[in-house]
Amino acid sequence: MQHDKTSNEPLTEDRQGEVLLQNTIDPNNTQKKLYLESYGCQMNFSDSEVVASILAQDGYATTRNIAEADLVLINTCSIRDNAEQRVRNRLTEFQHHKQQNPELVVGILGCMAERLKKNLLEEEKLVDIVAGPDAYRDLPNLISEVGTGQKAVNVLLSREETYADISPVRLDQGGISAFVTIMRGCDNMCSFCVVPFTRGRERSRDPKSIVAECHDLFNKGYREVTLLGQNVDSYRWNLSSKGELKNPTEEAMNFAQLLQAVANVSPLLRVRFSTSHPKDMTDDVLEVIASNHNVCNYIHLPVQSGNTAVLFRMNRGYTREWYLERIEAIHRIIPDCAISTDIITGFCGETDAEHRDTVSLMEKVQFDYAYMFKYSERPKTLAERKFEDDVPEEIKGKRLTEIIELQTAHSLAANERQVGTIQEVLVEGPSKRSELQFCGRNSRNSMVVFDRKQAEKGSYVQVKITGCTSATLFGELID
Ligand code: SAH
Ligand code: SF4
Ligand code: F3S
């Protein structure tokens, strides 16, 4: 199991079972102990920090040792079937701990909890608590209910909850890079996607609390924040759907303005964000990136497919041409901007010709990085109700392998283009392989590994790039 946490993957990454640990451990060892394991996207990891904070108030310290835990929580993901299967397998491993400690309380949080609701209690006998993404403030009550011998469920979704006032306990992040959630839920209803069902309606968080959290992180030594939302471009504060001020005494804010406000916290605080939506990404946002050195030159812009008819079936709200125009706008407005994407292969009815359009779009755009998946049908989604999941598994797999190979070549070429250049790197800490080497990212989000010398964690250094693989740049520190 992986214990360290790299913090720059977009809202895509299907991360597996990482144990998050809070820095402060009670010296007297009297506190109740929480073992918290997280799966899924950055949003889930960010939510786990909110959960740790709510439970710290209730007397829980986090532990990495499940054997000493009083409470085991798993924050789960439903995005693809295999994400759920992984959690189910993990639950069978917990059986043993529950036998050893019958008092142990086991809870399922997050998207699987929301999707399956109380059925989870029937399907997984060792589970005591089921709590959806908007129910975390209720966890102390749910735990007390279990104390009286019952099972406890809260899967109510909210139209308002943003946990704005909760200062998340930063778990295990190395103290340099942090996630800051700016909005929750999603209203887009892409036909393949379960997120609108598991996360509920879209709502934006008060910008004052976002900026205050970023100031606080900076004062604690953090040097990078990643603003999180399923579709950051639809961030809006104090504006009705008709474009009128909800509260006339307060200013309205869109995403470009929020990004600028966070960039103003300090020129030494790097700002990233995820995820942009091609149908909504405006030039205003691109201009904020271009005009602020500390807003990173990196955009994650999921395309899903390169074919307009497939995009229509996916209900994505844009065409191939529209997407390519947005890519042109990025290159026009931000010189040297890295772009990554998400792609699904084998969506309902995808023909070979439609798949070839995805390949040709990849060739045209030359993404720096891509997260690629086989389509996995999700219950209750529009696609499940309207279309047949008719592309054979074998073809889905073949198409996936083809685009992964193509992307690996593109990622390598993108990194090779950086060899010989000098890159500004924010030092995150020792590299995975050796204590003698440090690693960090450049503005384009490429991981750079270099000899440690006198560099300090959290500082910005200049590194001359001397070599690369498709995933990493190698270089030498310049004095
Ligand atoms: N809000 C982001 C993505 C969130 S989900 C966006 O709109 O782009 C992350 C990624 O998982 C998606 O971009 C998509 O590529 C993939 N994904 C979502 N549902 C999927 C499904 N049913 N099968 C396969 N991949 C899926
Ligand atoms: Fe899912 Fe689409 Fe919302 Fe992204 S924008 S979370 S893919 S519904
Ligand atoms: Fe994230 Fe997975 Fe839920 S990707 S929003 S944890 S379904």
Side-chain angles (χ1 to χ4, degrees):
M1 193 182 303
Q2 224 178 310
H3 285 295
D4 61 331
K5 177 161 180 276
T6 48
S7 57
N8 289 289
E9 291 114 14
L11 276 187
T12 299
E13 186 61 350
D14 196 4
R15 294 222 305 253
Q16 307 176 16
E18 290 173 43
V19 181
L20 302 174
L21 196 69
Q22 173 185 339
N23 296 327
T24 44
I25 295 285
D26 165 32
N28 303 324
N29 228 16
T30 53
Q31 271 178 299
K32 293 176 282 183
K33 299 217 167 48
L34 158 68
Y35 175 91
L36 174 57
E37 208 169 276
S38 302
Y39 294 76
C41 65
Q42 291 171 334
M43 188 74 84
N44 249 17
F45 282 73
S46 174
D47 281 2
S48 289
E49 298 184 331
V50 167
V51 167
S53 172
I54 289 168
L55 291 176
Q57 299 283 319
D58 201 41
Y60 282 90
T62 49
T63 174
R64 202 171 262 180
N65 179 3
I66 188 169
E68 64 171 20
D70 305 288
L71 172 64
V72 170
L73 295 177
I74 321 183
N75 199 355
T76 60
C77 173
S78 287
I79 201 80
R80 285 168 288 278
D81 184 58
N82 59 12
E84 292 199 355
Q85 288 316 321
R86 218 172 281 134
V87 168
R88 303 244 185 209
N89 293 339
R90 189 68 182 127
L91 282 175
T92 58
E93 291 169 25
F94 290 163
Q95 207 87 48
H96 155 80
H97 297 287
K98 187 108 176 182
Q99 274 158 7
Q100 298 218 316
N101 173 11
E103 303 287 295
L104 182 68
V105 175
V106 177
I108 303 286
L109 314 179
C111 292
M112 243 177 115
E114 192 61 52
R115 193 178 86 69
L116 294 160
K117 305 190 169 55
K118 66 177 187 334
N119 294 341
L120 256 181
L121 294 177
E122 282 143 37
E123 291 165 17
E124 303 288 347
K125 293 283 181 248
L126 88 165
V127 173
D128 304 297
I129 296 175
V130 175
D134 288 343
Y136 299 150
R137 287 182 204 266
D138 196 30
L139 277 170
N141 298 329
L142 297 173
I143 295 165
S144 319
E145 258 179 64
V146 173
T148 64
Q150 303 166 42
K151 304 247 171 182
V153 180
N154 185 343
V155 288
L156 289 176
L157 285 171
S158 156
R159 280 176 176 253
E160 281 95 36
E161 181 64 274
T162 59
Y163 300 111
D165 57 313
I166 293 181
S167 169
V169 169
R170 301 293 160 183
L171 297 165
D172 231 22
Q173 286 204 28
I176 302 300
S177 188
F179 301 132
V180 175
T181 298
I182 63 165
M183 56 205 293
R184 300 180 70 83
C186 185
D187 287 348
N188 282 316
M189 297 304 256
C190 299
S191 65
F192 52 80
C193 185
V194 78
V195 172
F197 303 92
T198 62
R199 295 261 164 185
R201 298 303 297 271
E202 184 183 285
R203 62 220 102 120
S204 296
R205 177 179 168 191
D206 185 339
K208 292 187 285 304
S209 77
I210 298 171
V211 171
E213 188 175 329
C214 294
H215 267 292
D216 184 50
L217 284 163
F218 183 74
N219 292 336
K220 289 186 172 134
Y222 283 82
R223 291 295 173 263
E224 183 173 84
V225 290
T226 303
L227 308 180
L228 295 180
Q230 293 299 347
N231 174 358
V232 291
D233 300 294
S234 60
Y235 178 89
R236 53 162 70 210
W237 179 253
N238 195 26
L239 268 185
S240 72
S241 49
K242 289 184 193 138
E244 288 155 1
L245 285 184
K246 283 186 189 162
N247 171 359
T249 61
E250 202 184 339
E251 275 183 63
M253 214 179 244
N254 64 22
F255 181 59
Q257 292 161 329
L258 176 72
L259 193 57
Q260 185 60 61
V262 175
N264 293 345
V265 167
S266 164
L268 290 179
L269 184 71
R270 266 188 180 176
V271 189
R272 299 184 186 276
F273 55 87
S274 185
T275 299
S276 304
H277 198 300
K279 79 177 162 64
D280 297 321
M281 188 185 69
T282 61
D283 288 0
D284 288 9
V285 170
L286 303 180
E287 275 147 20
V288 173
I289 301 174
S291 58
N292 289 273
H293 181 71
N294 58 331
V295 181
C296 291
N297 287 7
Y298 169 59
I299 297 179
H300 182 62
L301 196 66
V303 66
Q304 315 298 359
S305 165
N307 175 274
T308 296
V310 175
L311 289 169
F312 186 76
R313 294 202 290 282
M314 287 177 164
N315 198 27
R316 285 290 287 179
Y318 54 88
T319 60
R320 174 187 173 95
E321 289 68 33
W322 174 278
Y323 185 87
L324 289 171
E325 190 284 324
R326 292 290 75 208
I327 296 288
E328 267 176 38
I330 294 173
H331 291 314
R332 187 172 66 239
I333 298 172
I334 315 165
D336 198 31
C337 186
I339 304 173
S340 63
T341 201
D342 293 344
I343 297 173
I344 297 176
T345 64
F347 183 65
C348 309
E350 187 187 64
T351 63
D352 207 41
E354 288 169 342
H355 165 67
R356 299 248 65 80
D357 279 347
T358 296
V359 172
S360 81
L361 181 129
M362 290 174 75
E363 276 164 348
K364 214 169 178 144
V365 178
Q366 303 262 330
F367 293 106
D368 292 80
Y369 199 83
Y371 298 87
M372 295 159 282
F373 315 99
K374 277 194 274 188
Y375 172 59
S376 164
E377 185 177 77
R378 309 309 292 130
K380 289 197 187 154
T381 54
L382 275 173
E384 189 242 5
R385 286 182 279 140
K386 256 173 83 176
F387 306 122
E388 208 177 322
D389 180 13
D390 55 358
V391 177
E393 195 53 32
E394 193 196 333
I395 297 196
K396 284 183 185 171
K398 265 195 190 145
R399 290 179 184 166
L400 181 65
T401 307
E402 182 187 352
I403 64 167
I404 289 176
E405 280 170 9
L406 181 62
Q407 184 53 47
T408 307
H410 290 166
S411 298
L412 179 62
N415 277 351
E416 280 168 346
R417 283 194 291 276
Q418 298 189 74
V419 174
T421 64
I422 293 171
Q423 297 289 323
E424 183 177 77
V425 175
L426 171 60
V427 183
E428 285 178 22
S431 82
K432 276 190 191 144
R433 293 232 183 97
S434 157
E435 283 284 319
L436 297 174
Q437 291 193 310
F438 262 167
C439 66
R441 287 165 200 269
N442 64 5
S443 174
R444 297 170 51 91
N445 206 35
S446 323
M447 181 54 89
V448 183
V449 174
F450 54 93
D451 279 346
R452 179 171 185 157
K453 294 191 183 156
Q454 68 282 36
E456 274 181 43
K457 200 171 130 176
S459 66
Y460 291 94
V461 294
Q462 301 292 321
V463 179
K464 169 120 195 234
I465 307 302
T466 54
C468 70
T469 64
S470 63
T472 312
L473 299 175
F474 302 100
E476 285 161 11
L477 200 63
I478 294 178
D479 289 335

